[in-house]
Amino acid sequence: MNDDSSHNRIVILGSTGSIGTSCLEVVSGLGSNMEVLGLTAHTSWRELAEQSRKFRPRWSVLSDERIRSRVETAEFGSDTELCFGTDAIEDVAAADEVDVVICGIVGVAGLRGVSAAISAGKRVGIANKEPLVMAGGLMMKAAAEHGATIIPVDSEHSAIYQAMKSGQSSEVKRVVLTASGGPFRGWKREQLTDVTPEMALAHPTWDMGAKITIDSATLMNKALEIIEAKWLFGLSVDQIEVVIHPQSIIHSFVEFVDGSVIAQLSPPDMKLPIQYALTYPRRVSGVARKLDWSTGMNLQFDPPDRENFPGLQLGFEVAKRGGTCGAVLNAANEGAVARFLAGDLRFSEIPRACRAILDAHNFDPDPTMTELLRQDGWAREEIQQWRS
């Protein structure tokens, strides 16, 4: 690994997605201090080829081997070795030359790459929720054993990570995750019944991928973040709270035992938490938007509406119970969101379906990774069969 903390050699898992493209914008803004060694995508080979020509990584990986015959390898340039398959993603994430791995692959597909990077002792910026929601206990244990540093890239946990620098972990009374409330803040259950995908994808403050935008609308993203926070910061469920903050300026709070509350503020722009993970422990000027203190602003806070958005409660329950619950909830939610986007499930049925699958699963309090993946597969099959 590189001993020069000012120069980082980077692999981006999921470089053609929302997080990946934002990460490459950050890298471009940071200039010669960042060197892209690896880029990965699933099937978007033309976009990956364009990125490869621009950033000239040593490796580019397409995880779907079935498209090999359709890919024009010459489009990737002579400086880049094009690889195929999920094994190649693991190899690139764990390569000796790599300092930092940013994982922005949505879904369980990112789990193997993150696991490989952690086992190789890398600094790992996790933007996708699944590794910690599914296997938080195993991930944090592996990080401790292999000397890996896990830095959250999502805005809420990045905010907590930064705010916790103001004290000792033993001095933390609670953390408060902020939620925008999504496009349906203040809506009642009967109104939510008729929500269409187009309505749910119109987020008021964030520009994100489709799946996470739907999760924001159901508040399921906050449920998953509760589970993440438990594992990332070694918290009990009683130390985690959620507030609605429509402006998305304060990304989370940490309250210490003396009553001091430390918050992290910035415009709703994923480039800042991405840059923090890339340059940690240094702070440098970058391309992320800045707050304009010359204009007025109002910051609003409200308690979450658990009655009309019942998905939030699932997060507290799963975080408290642990075991296989996170893997099952995550898989059920992914399947439910896919069905909603396809017009096969009502918006209001997403948390109901997830609850049903969670309640029906064969709970294991201390699962292996093999068992977690088995339960993940079971939940994905069950959610497709669910009917109200």
Side-chain angles (χ1 to χ4, degrees):
M1 290 183 65
N2 181 14
D3 293 328
D4 180 4
S5 62
S6 66
H7 182 86
N8 287 300
R9 297 173 296 189
I10 305 159
V11 164
I12 304 172
L13 308 182
S15 64
T16 60
S18 175
I19 291 294
T21 54
S22 292
C23 188
L24 288 171
E25 286 185 55
V26 172
V27 168
S28 294
L30 294 173
S32 60
N33 289 331
M34 298 287 150
E35 179 184 359
V36 177
L37 286 189
L39 298 173
T40 84
H42 184 50
T43 58
S44 302
W45 72 265
R46 293 188 186 278
E47 292 89 338
L48 186 64
E50 182 178 353
Q51 292 175 346
S52 299
R53 292 193 302 271
K54 180 176 180 180
F55 292 94
R56 301 169 65 182
R58 188 176 304 181
W59 308 286
S60 285
V61 181
L62 287 161
S63 61
D64 189 347
E65 297 189 69
R66 296 172 298 180
I67 67 169
R68 184 191 294 260
S69 62
R70 304 200 304 269
V71 176
E72 298 173 21
T73 56
E75 293 293 310
F76 287 78
S78 59
D79 297 312
T80 300
E81 178 186 354
L82 179 61
C83 309
F84 292 85
T86 53
D87 287 348
I89 289 180
E90 293 182 61
D91 292 341
V92 168
D96 289 341
E97 300 92 330
V98 174
D99 301 307
V100 186
V101 176
I102 301 293
C103 186
I105 300 177
V106 174
V108 72
L111 189 61
R112 289 179 62 180
V114 168
S115 296
I118 290 174
S119 295
K122 307 299 183 185
R123 186 196 323 158
V124 185
I126 300 182
N128 57 324
K129 295 175 169 54
E130 290 76 19
L132 290 168
V133 171
M134 284 187 64
L138 295 177
M139 292 289 172
M140 299 309 292
K141 181 181 179 182
E145 289 177 351
H146 298 286
T149 301
I150 296 177
I151 301 181
V153 170
D154 63 313
S155 60
E156 295 83 1
H157 296 99
S158 178
I160 294 170
Y161 193 93
Q162 295 176 61
M164 278 191 163
K165 303 296 183 185
S166 296
Q168 304 297 319
S169 58
S170 60
E171 298 168 342
V172 173
K173 182 176 182 181
R174 78 190 85 192
V175 303
V176 183
L177 297 162
T178 58
S180 69
F184 310 123
R185 179 172 56 90
W187 286 38
K188 301 303 180 184
R189 188 170 298 183
E190 55 271 18
Q191 294 174 283
L192 295 171
T193 301
D194 298 322
V195 164
T196 65
E198 292 73 22
M199 294 164 65
L201 288 169
H203 197 280
T205 54
W206 287 98
D207 181 13
M208 306 176 290
K211 193 267 182 183
I212 193 171
T213 302
I214 301 303
D215 284 349
S216 179
T218 61
L219 292 191
M220 190 64 78
N221 69 322
K222 219 50 52 177
L224 300 177
E225 287 168 14
I226 291 165
I227 302 165
E228 282 185 278
K230 169 192 173 178
W231 295 116
L232 270 172
F233 306 113
L235 301 168
S236 69
V237 177
D238 294 337
Q239 289 179 289
I240 306 170
E241 295 185 14
V242 173
V243 298
I244 302 299
H245 171 50
Q247 293 79 23
S248 299
I249 297 296
I250 295 179
H251 299 295
S252 280
F253 305 87
V254 174
E255 181 181 346
F256 291 92
V257 291
D258 62 357
S260 292
V261 179
I262 309 298
Q264 187 266 331
L265 290 73
S266 62
D269 185 348
M270 285 303 300
K271 296 183 188 69
L272 185 58
I274 289 170
Q275 178 174 308
Y276 183 81
L278 287 175
T279 63
Y280 180 85
R282 298 165 54 249
R283 291 185 184 268
V284 298
S285 179
V287 298
R289 289 188 289 142
K290 312 297 190 294
L291 288 173
D292 181 1
W293 296 106
S294 67
T295 61
M297 70 174 77
N298 293 306
L299 303 179
Q300 175 185 346
F301 305 98
D302 296 298
D305 181 354
R306 300 192 188 196
E307 179 181 351
N308 291 298
F309 294 88
L312 183 63
Q313 185 59 32
L314 291 174
F316 287 105
E317 294 179 17
V318 168
K320 188 170 186 176
R321 198 174 185 200
T324 47
C325 288
V328 171
L329 176 62
N330 176 74
N333 180 59
E334 277 191 38
V337 169
R339 286 184 60 185
F340 167 68
L341 289 171
D344 189 38
L345 199 69
R346 289 183 180 272
F347 179 84
S348 57
E349 291 177 329
I350 293 174
R352 288 175 52 202
C354 290
R355 162 72 71 187
I357 303 305
L358 189 63
D359 289 347
H361 95 280
N362 186 18
F363 175 69
D364 184 338
D366 189 25
T368 62
M369 184 65 75
T370 299
E371 176 61 13
L372 289 172
L373 292 172
R374 189 191 72 78
Q375 292 273 15
D376 171 269
W378 173 86
R380 290 175 191 278
E381 291 179 3
E382 289 296 309
I383 197 67
Q384 298 305 317
Q385 307 304 319
W386 184 87
R387 295 290 183 270
S388 60

